[in-house]
């Protein structure tokens, strides 16, 4: 973490702190249905407030095209107030007179949420004039939104060039965890990569085979690799046109001394439906009219063995159709196994991505992993080895 400026490097007392947070939470009828992201940013908000800083929250919500009351942050600010147990004032704009007046009325320790930055199209364009308007409202900029760090927008990156820039505590924890997972990990390192399609994770797989000692490939993605090796996958989801890509990734892995662990058996059904009649088959016996919906018992044993051999685990994507019983079994038991190893202090486990978080919650083990990232795109781009604009701007000179 010493590569990045954090709140340890600044005295916020009396300062106007523009704090970029992720308030993009799920809503239903004006009510927040999952407050996880609000809980994640609470420590940074309360720390700056307790130290006498004026906390000015910047965030986007949804994908509005101009001003849209349905995409207002006002109900989110009210929910945040409940989470942090302190008042959160609200301003109907994030720039201009309305914002300036609200900021001007603040006392040390006060918390103010400005309206959705994306109500202005200049936000996503990282427009220099818009950045300057935002910068007028603060003395320093703190970025605590790792989930938006892959975007070079005005509030996620532009402000870092106009004001002294620091990582908030959530950002700091994320960078710390990710550094331990891939940048400077305790070896051996294993990655479990699942999900439906290889096409969305080519860059990810190509980067990982150069970084990890073993790579477990599951989900629909594994079918593409099996097909590339001439194994019949029946009616299973597979991107057959990507067979050459799969073979190229396997060759790259071999050159980098990275073991690729593919399923050796599979749970097969005739239809994609919960509790559809199913059977475990060896790979040489997949029925022509069958669909692979989960890894089989021998594959699970191999995955557990690979986890046991590892000191660090990075996980993104389920191993099967985890949203349907009983095809969630491979993902559930492997997640529980990784959680047990983590609790026994034998494994550092880092996971991220929407489906992955949902699967770990379903297995009841999200809290037992070393770190679970709620950042989707940013987590993936980091795993792909790409620099993230909102992180790069926080680096020490």
């Amino acid at each position: 973490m010493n590569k990045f400026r954090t709140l340890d490097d600044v005295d916020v007392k009396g300062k106007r702190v523009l704090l970029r947070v992720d308030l993009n939470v799920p809503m239903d009828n004006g009510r927040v249905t999952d407050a996880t992201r609000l809980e994640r940013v609470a420590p940074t908000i309360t720390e700056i407030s307790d130290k006498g800083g004026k906390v000015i929250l910047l965030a986007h919500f949804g994908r509005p095209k101009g001003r849209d009351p349905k995409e207002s942050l006002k109900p989110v600010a009210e929910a945040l107030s409940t989470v942090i147990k302190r008042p959160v004032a609200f301003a109907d704009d994030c720039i201009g007179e309305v914002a300036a007046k609200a900021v001007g009325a603040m006392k040390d320790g006060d918390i103010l949420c400005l309206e959705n930055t994306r109500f202005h199209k200049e936000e996503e364009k990282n427009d220099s004039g818009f950045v300057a308007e935002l910068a007028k409202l603060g003395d320093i900029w703190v970025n605590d939104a790792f989930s938006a760090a892959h975007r070079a927008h005005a509030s996620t990156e532009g402000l870092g060039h106009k004001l002294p820039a620091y990582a908030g505590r959530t950002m700091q924890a994320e960078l710390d965890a990710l550094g331990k997972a891939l940048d400077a990990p305790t070896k051996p390192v294993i990655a479990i990569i699942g999900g439906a399609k290889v096409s969305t994770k080519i860059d990810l797989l190509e980067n990982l085979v150069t970084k990890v000692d073993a790579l477990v490939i599951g989900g629909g993605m594994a079918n593409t690799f099996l097909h590339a090796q001439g194994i019949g996958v029946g009616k299973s989801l597979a991107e057959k046109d990507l067979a050459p890509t799969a073979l190229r990734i396997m060759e790259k892995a071999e050159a980098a001394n990275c073991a690729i662990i593919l399923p050796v058996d599979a749970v097969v059904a005739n239809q994609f439906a919960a509790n559809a009649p199913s059977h475990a088959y060896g790979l040489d016996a997949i029925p022509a009219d069958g669909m692979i919906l989960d890894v089989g018992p021998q594959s699970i044993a191999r995955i557990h063995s690979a986890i046991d051999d590892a000191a660090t685990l990075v996980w993104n994507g389920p191993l099967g159709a985890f949203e349907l019983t009983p095809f969630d079994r491979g993902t559930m038991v492997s997640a529980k196994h990784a959680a047990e190893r983590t609790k026994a202090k034998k494994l550092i486990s880092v996971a991220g991505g929407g489906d992955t978080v949902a699967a770990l919650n379903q297995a009841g083990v999200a809290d037992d992993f070393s770190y679970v990232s709620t950042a989707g795109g940013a987590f993936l781009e980091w795993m792909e080895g790409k620099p993230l604009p909102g992180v790069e701007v926080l680096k020490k000179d």
Side-chain angles (χ1 to χ4, degrees):
M1 264 313 300
N2 56 6
K3 293 192 304 193
F4 302 94
R5 293 181 295 271
T6 72
L7 287 173
D8 297 324
D9 300 312
V10 62
D11 179 7
V12 297
K13 185 170 173 57
K15 297 229 172 52
R16 299 171 304 162
V17 181
L18 285 175
L19 175 59
R20 182 50 161 99
V21 286
D22 183 354
L23 303 182
N24 207 15
V25 291
M27 303 275 287
D28 185 35
N29 288 327
R31 199 176 56 81
V32 173
T33 55
D34 181 353
T36 305
R37 284 180 164 170
L38 306 185
E39 290 156 5
R40 284 263 168 120
V41 297
T44 303
I45 294 170
T46 53
E47 179 182 339
I48 295 169
S49 171
D50 288 345
K51 288 179 173 174
K54 296 170 181 174
V55 186
I56 304 156
L57 303 175
L58 291 171
H60 75 273
F61 185 72
R63 299 180 181 277
K65 300 282 180 269
R67 270 194 172 271
D68 182 349
K70 293 197 292 293
E71 308 274 19
S72 173
L73 277 171
K74 192 168 188 184
V76 184
E78 290 163 6
L80 177 65
S81 175
T82 305
V83 168
I84 63 174
K85 300 183 173 57
R86 335 186 160 193
V88 177
F90 185 76
D92 285 322
D93 205 345
C94 60
I95 56 168
E97 197 180 334
V98 170
K101 204 169 170 184
V103 171
M106 293 178 79
K107 299 185 186 70
D108 291 356
D110 281 357
I111 302 160
L112 168 70
C113 179
L114 301 182
E115 185 55 284
N116 194 340
T117 55
R118 287 193 185 170
F119 279 1
H120 298 268
K121 63 181 185 298
E122 295 84 359
E123 156 74 349
E124 293 181 73
K125 292 177 179 172
N126 206 354
D127 177 83
S128 58
F130 184 68
V131 172
E133 283 296 307
L134 289 173
K136 281 182 195 171
L137 302 171
D139 302 307
I140 64 170
W141 175 68
V142 175
N143 191 358
D144 213 26
F146 178 82
S147 51
H150 58 310
R151 299 191 177 105
H153 292 174
S155 67
T156 62
E157 193 265 355
L159 280 169
H161 299 288
K162 291 287 281 186
L163 295 172
Y166 305 90
R169 297 306 185 195
T170 308
M171 174 75 85
Q172 183 179 349
E174 191 104 25
L175 295 175
D176 202 23
L178 300 187
K180 283 178 186 164
L182 276 192
D183 298 338
T186 307
K187 287 182 164 276
V189 187
I190 178 180
I192 296 178
I193 304 298
K197 294 183 172 183
V198 172
S199 53
T200 58
K201 297 189 178 177
I202 294 171
D203 291 351
L204 170 63
L205 296 171
E206 293 205 327
N207 182 48
L208 285 179
V209 295
T210 65
K211 294 268 185 91
V212 303
D213 301 290
L215 175 61
V216 174
I217 299 177
M221 293 172 60
N223 303 336
T224 301
F225 279 81
L226 296 175
H227 165 75
Q229 294 176 296
I231 294 164
V233 294
K235 290 183 178 171
S236 309
L237 173 69
E239 294 174 291
K240 295 182 177 177
D241 57 320
L242 286 182
T245 303
L247 292 173
R248 185 184 77 231
I249 290 167
M250 292 183 81
E251 283 168 16
K252 192 171 180 182
E254 193 173 351
N257 212 15
C258 166
I260 295 235
I261 299 171
L262 288 166
V264 290
D265 59 347
V267 177
V268 178
N270 283 339
Q271 56 179 326
F272 186 81
N275 304 313
S278 60
H279 193 276
Y281 291 93
L283 294 183
D284 56 348
I286 305 291
D289 62 347
M291 297 168 71
I292 296 172
L293 294 182
D294 197 11
V295 289
Q298 291 173 2
S299 302
I300 291 171
R302 285 190 76 194
I303 292 166
H304 287 191
S305 170
I307 291 171
D308 291 345
D309 289 341
T312 302
L313 164 68
V314 184
W315 189 329
N316 173 256
L319 296 168
F322 81 100
E323 63 276 32
L324 306 174
T325 52
F327 312 111
D328 58 346
R329 185 168 186 275
T331 305
M332 297 297 116
V333 298
S334 298
K336 286 174 180 170
H337 189 75
E340 288 301 322
R341 297 283 297 172
T342 306
K343 283 197 288 188
K345 304 273 190 290
K346 291 176 179 169
L347 185 71
I348 294 165
S349 51
V350 176
D355 280 351
T356 316
V357 176
L360 296 185
N361 284 331
Q362 195 172 310
V365 297
D367 291 343
D368 297 326
F369 269 55
S370 307
Y371 194 81
V372 177
S373 172
T374 56
F379 181 78
L380 266 181
E381 287 199 21
W382 167 79
M383 285 181 76
E384 288 166 4
K386 295 174 180 170
L388 307 180
V391 171
E392 293 297 305
V393 78
L394 302 172
K395 285 187 173 174
K396 289 180 175 172
D397 302 327

